[in-house]
Amino acid sequence: DGEALFGRTSQMMAIARAAIEELRGSRTLRLTATPSFASRWLAVHVPDFEALHPGLQVDLDVSTDVRRPAAFDIAIRSGLGDWTGVRATPLFPVEGTPMLRPDLLEGRAMTGPEDLARLPLIPSSDWPRWFDEQGGRPPNLNLARRSAFPSQDLAAQAALEGRGAALLSPRLFRAEIASGRLVNPLPFVLSGPEQYWLVEPRRGAGSIAPAFRDWLLSTLL
């Protein structure tokens, strides 16, 4: 009964908030996203959406934990999409391919995973799976006792500083590849099983949320 009451009252509050925003001549989109998606994609593309909707204010909350449905209009999260109380639409898989600064390759032939294993590897829990899917895990790969980075964004910064090879999404870090700041010498891209998701509360949201959802999906596809 409490859940049913919460759902109905949340819908009422969302409708009221949208009506107040219309009267004020301004609209607010409460958007929450993971750090890598926020810095590598939203920071570049959200101004395009704002240009289509004058008077819009985007309140961006950068976080990885799952917010209460009443606290956001749109969320971008990575995972398996099994959250309760929300609608989750898949965007694209979580990906990883080795990227490193080009000067680390000087004088080195890079023809397979065994060549990559001779370089410093920036810790990621997905390295063992990447090597396994390439034909076997090198015996000297030992990441269990090394500090891991909580986001690809931080791993990318370490790679840009020349600390080694990082497993990064070619979709989110295409600008670094295009500029030559990072290279991906081996073509294999680890994909899934986790994905990026567009998450919406099951209650109604602000009037601008459906427009943002449709714009995001059309831009990514």
Side-chain angles (χ1 to χ4, degrees):
D1 291 342
E3 289 180 354
L5 179 61
F6 175 77
R8 293 293 183 91
T9 55
S10 295
Q11 291 175 357
M12 294 167 57
M13 293 301 295
I15 294 171
R17 183 166 64 85
I20 292 171
E21 289 173 354
E22 290 178 6
L23 289 173
R24 290 176 174 174
S26 64
R27 290 169 294 176
T28 301
L29 177 71
R30 298 174 302 166
L31 175 63
T32 176
T34 57
S36 296
F37 194 92
S39 63
R40 301 291 169 175
W41 202 92
L42 290 176
V44 176
H45 294 91
V46 160
D48 297 333
F49 179 74
E50 291 176 326
L52 297 173
H53 300 273
L56 172 68
Q57 176 180 334
V58 176
D59 287 345
L60 180 59
D61 166 35
V62 179
S63 62
T64 56
D65 61 317
V66 179
R67 299 298 199 212
R68 294 179 299 105
F72 65 90
D73 297 317
I74 295 285
I76 307 296
R77 288 294 184 269
S78 59
L80 298 176
D82 52 355
W83 304 286
T84 60
V86 296
R87 292 189 299 269
T89 303
L91 296 176
F92 55 85
V94 173
E95 300 167 326
T97 193
M99 296 189 195
L100 65 161
R101 219 166 62 179
D103 59 289
L104 294 183
L105 289 177
E106 291 179 0
R108 296 176 183 268
M110 188 67 65
T111 59
E114 65 280 357
D115 299 314
L116 182 70
R118 299 187 183 100
L119 293 174
L121 301 179
I122 294 168
S124 168
S125 60
D126 285 328
W127 275 122
R129 191 161 62 94
W130 187 89
F131 278 103
D132 286 343
E133 295 196 18
Q134 286 291 281
R137 177 179 177 179
N140 62 343
L141 182 62
N142 182 8
L143 303 174
R145 298 182 180 179
R146 299 173 61 189
S147 300
F149 291 97
S151 72
Q152 286 195 9
D153 220 27
L154 293 176
Q157 188 58 44
L160 289 167
E161 294 292 335
R163 300 297 183 181
L167 269 181
L168 303 174
S169 166
R171 188 190 307 262
L172 295 181
F173 293 89
R174 63 180 59 177
E176 284 71 21
I177 296 174
S179 67
R181 298 173 67 201
L182 293 176
V183 295
N184 54 329
L186 297 173
F188 177 71
V189 179
L190 192 67
S191 181
E194 295 189 347
Q195 298 193 68
Y196 280 95
W197 300 81
L198 186 149
V199 182
E200 301 169 88
R202 290 195 179 277
R203 57 157 179 84
S207 58
I208 198 64
F212 182 85
R213 178 191 63 231
D214 294 344
W215 171 83
L216 179 65
L217 293 175
S218 65
T219 304
L220 286 174
L221 297 179

